[in-house]
């Protein structure tokens, strides 16, 4: 009797070796969840449990949220709080959607983003309110100049306290979710969600206080303080706080892709980003000191160009992730892990979206269609992580667990390849981003017909107008002759699911 786990391991192709990496360190499959080793429970080490730590974080953020809710409601009053809440929530979906769109190439887990938003809205806002109030009162008492204390607190104290409190969320994810913080885009997105949460709470406070002032003065309409505050904070500058904190996120992002041997640079970059965030924040808060038109001058000369520059850098970083896919994944296609057309499809956002749609429509019902589309989306995310990991390895930015992480990602790809590979291959052909897929795989192309039990798309004559998935798979894949492939390492070529069922147990 042969061991099924051994057969499953040998059915996979070799991993393309990267420079001095030893082949025997990267071959093999990641262990299944069911085969994980039993670890006895340690007495007195409850804090090591992931569930305990996650629960502690949730409880801490909830307590901060309750305290900040009580403080804001006390300052604004019940009516002011409701008005501020209703107005402050308006830009939140827009900002979150923009940052999530930026993260579409390699979407980060929602738990990190929810934590970042909650940290900004609860913990960072609470620290800012307490620290700013204490510092302003201390300065006013020491100098006997309340007006000067307010100006100094807004231009010096507030930027340092607020940006440091928001940067703590980026630092925590950078340290404790290192696998999920792999580049510049991750730093921008995490920082953006954190600042969006902070601005949400701060806007409730400012808009609620403005509404209370209008109630005392009896003003309403466009001439009211509420309308002016709404125009300045929600219409003109909803991106202000995200812009400040994104500079900190850029520092952490560049540190994430830097070589591990450059430790000083990896520490200096986040610090530099934080200092830039504090400086821009101080300039923004102190713009009113430059005269009656100081605010508009800083807005037009500094804020808008800085926003445009950061937006360009974010989009460039996203395009760089796509170029990394096109550059790094062909090695895995040559080794047999991917079809020849997949690297081109995965490096095109249009082809990726089309592959998810194809996988959804090929299924017989909606439930299976949603599951298939989700499998393709996960496949795309794992492939993007694999390409980024290999790129960082070339630049010396990975640790000793590179081989284990690479095997784990390949394991996830292999589990979803039966659904994702045909969809991506056909999407590459339909978008013109990849080579003609090999016919021996059992994919039928023709004028609106399909072979086997596949789903046919027919729109006319000629190659590629019809697609089918069926027929008997080949006994030898067309990429087995590659120098990276199994014949160079002694590991057999990858077999299909149909072939694995035919093997003796």
């Amino acid at each position: 009797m042969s061991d099924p786990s051994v057969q499953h391991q040998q059915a996979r192709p070799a991993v393309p070796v990267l420079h001095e990496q030893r082949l025997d360190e990267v071959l093999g499959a990641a262990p299944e969840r069911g085969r994980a080793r039993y670890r006895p429970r340690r007495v007195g080490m409850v804090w090591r449990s992931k569930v305990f730590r996650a629960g502690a974080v949730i409880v801490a953020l909830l307590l901060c949220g309750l305290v900040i809710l009580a403080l804001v409601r006390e300052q604004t009053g019940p009516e002011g709080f409701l008005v501020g809440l209703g107005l402050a929530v308006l830009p939140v979906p827009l900002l979150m959607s923009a940052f999530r769109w930026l993260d579409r190439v390699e979407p980060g887990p929602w738990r990190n983003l929810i934590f970042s938003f909650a940290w900004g809205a609860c913990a960072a806002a609470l620290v800012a309110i307490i620290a700013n109030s204490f510092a302003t009162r201390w300065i006013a008492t020491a100098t006997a100049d309340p007006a000067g204390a307010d100006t100094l607190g807004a231009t010096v104290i507030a930027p340092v306290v607020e940006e440091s409190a928001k940067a703590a969320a980026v630092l925590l994810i950078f340290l404790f979710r290192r696998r999920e913080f792999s580049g510049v885009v991750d730093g921008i997105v995490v920082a953006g969600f954190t600042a969006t949460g902070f601005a949400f709470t701060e806007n409730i406070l400012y808009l609620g206080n403005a509404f209370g002032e209008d109630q005392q003065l009896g003003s309403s309409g466009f001439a009211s303080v509420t309308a002016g505050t709404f125009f300045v904070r929600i219409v003109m500058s909803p991106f202000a706080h995200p812009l400040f904190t994104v500079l900190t996120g850029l520092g952490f992002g560049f540190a994430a892709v830097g070589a591990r041997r450059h430790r000083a640079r990896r520490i200096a970059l986040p610090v530099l980003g934080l200092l830039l965030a504090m400086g821009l924040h101080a300039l923004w808060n102190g713009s009113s000191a430059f005269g009656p038109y100081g605010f508009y001058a800083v807005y037009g000369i500094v804020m808008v160009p800085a926003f445009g520059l950061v937006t360009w850098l974010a989009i460039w970083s996203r395009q760089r992730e796509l170029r990394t896919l096109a550059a790094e994944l062909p090695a895995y296609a040559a080794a047999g892990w991917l079809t020849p057309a997949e690297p081109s499809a995965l490096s095109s956002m249009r082809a990726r979206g089309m592959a998810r749609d194809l996988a959804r429509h090929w299924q017989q019902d909606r439930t299976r269609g949603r599951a298939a589309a989700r499998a393709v989306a996960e496949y795309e995310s794992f492939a993007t992580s694999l390409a980024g990991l290999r790129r960082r390895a070339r630049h010396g930015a990975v640790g000793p667990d590179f081989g284990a992480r690479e095997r784990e990602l390949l394991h996830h790809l292999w589990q979803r390849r039966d659904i994702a590979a045909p969809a991506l291959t056909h999407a590459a052909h339909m978008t013109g981003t990849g080579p003609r897929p090999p016919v021996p795989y059992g994919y039928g192309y023709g004028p609106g017909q399909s072979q086997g039990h596949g789903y046919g798309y027919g729109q006319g004559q000629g190659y590629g107008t019809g697609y089918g998935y069926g027929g008997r798979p080949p006994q030898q894949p067309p990429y087995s002759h590659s120098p990276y492939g199994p014949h160079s390492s002694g590991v057999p070529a990858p077999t299909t699911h149909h072939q694995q069922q035919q093997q003796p147990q």
Side-chain angles (χ1 to χ4, degrees), residues 131-158:
N132 289 342
S133 300
F134 175 80
T136 302
R137 291 175 183 175
W138 182 82
I139 295 173
T141 303
T143 61
D145 183 9
D150 290 338
T151 303
L152 186 62
T155 56
V156 178
I157 304 300

Side-chain angles (χ1 to χ4, degrees), residues 435-456:
R436 175 174 176 170
V439 176
Y441 271 85
Y443 311 147
Y445 292 83
Q449 298 180 358
S450 62
Q451 300 178 7
H453 300 285
Y455 191 96

Side-chain angles (χ1 to χ4, degrees), residues 96-140:
M96 295 177 69
S97 299
F99 286 113
R100 192 60 179 172
W101 172 85
L102 186 65
D103 201 30
R104 284 181 59 197
V105 178
E106 187 181 2
W110 271 107
R111 63 177 180 271
N112 290 351
L113 304 182
I114 294 174
F115 165 80
S116 301
F117 183 87
W119 180 277
C122 301
L126 179 60
V127 171
I129 287 180
I130 295 176
N132 289 342
S133 300
F134 175 80
T136 302
R137 291 175 183 175
W138 182 82
I139 295 173

Side-chain angles (χ1 to χ4, degrees), residues 230-491:
F230 178 84
F231 179 75
V232 171
R233 299 189 64 88
I234 306 299
V235 177
M236 288 189 64
S237 58
F239 58 86
H241 271 290
L243 176 61
F244 305 148
T245 314
V246 159
L247 296 176
T248 304
L250 286 172
F252 279 99
F254 284 118
V257 299
R260 297 176 66 88
R261 63 180 180 274
H262 299 152
R263 180 167 298 182
R265 185 185 305 174
R266 288 164 61 89
I267 296 175
L269 287 173
V271 174
L272 177 61
L274 178 59
L275 293 177
L276 290 175
M278 292 177 181
L280 187 59
H281 194 162
L283 181 63
W284 173 252
N285 285 2
S287 59
S288 59
F290 300 145
Y293 299 102
F295 169 80
Y296 300 101
V298 172
Y299 183 85
I301 298 175
V302 179
M303 294 294 290
V304 172
F307 176 75
L309 179 62
V310 171
T311 302
W312 172 83
L313 181 60
I315 296 176
W316 176 83
S317 300
R318 170 176 154 153
Q319 293 301 119
R320 186 185 183 186
E321 288 185 341
L322 295 175
R323 291 193 296 268
T324 299
L325 286 162
E328 299 295 344
L329 290 184
Y332 295 98
W337 290 96
L338 308 175
T339 61
E342 285 184 70
S344 299
L346 289 166
S347 61
S348 167
M349 295 303 297
R350 181 188 174 195
R352 289 163 70 120
M354 185 176 293
R356 295 191 295 270
D357 292 338
L358 290 173
R360 182 184 299 109
H361 293 313
W362 286 342
Q363 302 301 319
Q364 298 177 354
D365 54 71
R366 292 185 178 181
T367 303
R368 293 182 179 179
R370 287 193 296 266
R374 184 169 57 253
V376 175
E378 292 172 350
Y379 187 93
E380 294 168 351
S381 179
F382 287 128
T384 305
S385 299
L386 180 63
L389 179 70
R390 191 172 179 87
R391 182 184 180 278
R392 293 195 303 275
R394 293 186 184 277
H395 293 82
V398 295
D401 62 339
F402 165 73
R405 178 59 174 162
E406 185 181 36
R407 288 197 306 271
E408 179 184 348
L409 292 172
L410 290 172
H411 172 75
H412 290 309
L413 291 178
W414 193 263
Q415 287 183 322
R416 296 161 176 81
R417 72 189 303 268
D418 289 342
I419 297 176
L424 285 166
T425 300
H426 191 54
H429 167 67
M430 294 179 66
T431 57
T433 58
R436 175 174 176 170
V439 176
Y441 271 85
Y443 311 147
Y445 292 83
Q449 298 180 358
S450 62
Q451 300 178 7
H453 300 285
Y455 191 96
Y457 283 82
Q459 299 178 356
Q461 301 290 331
Y463 172 79
T465 55
Y467 181 85
Y469 185 78
R472 182 178 180 84
Q475 297 298 320
Q476 187 78 342
Y479 44 74
S480 60
H481 64 277
S482 168
Y484 293 96
H487 291 290
S488 63
S489 60
V491 180

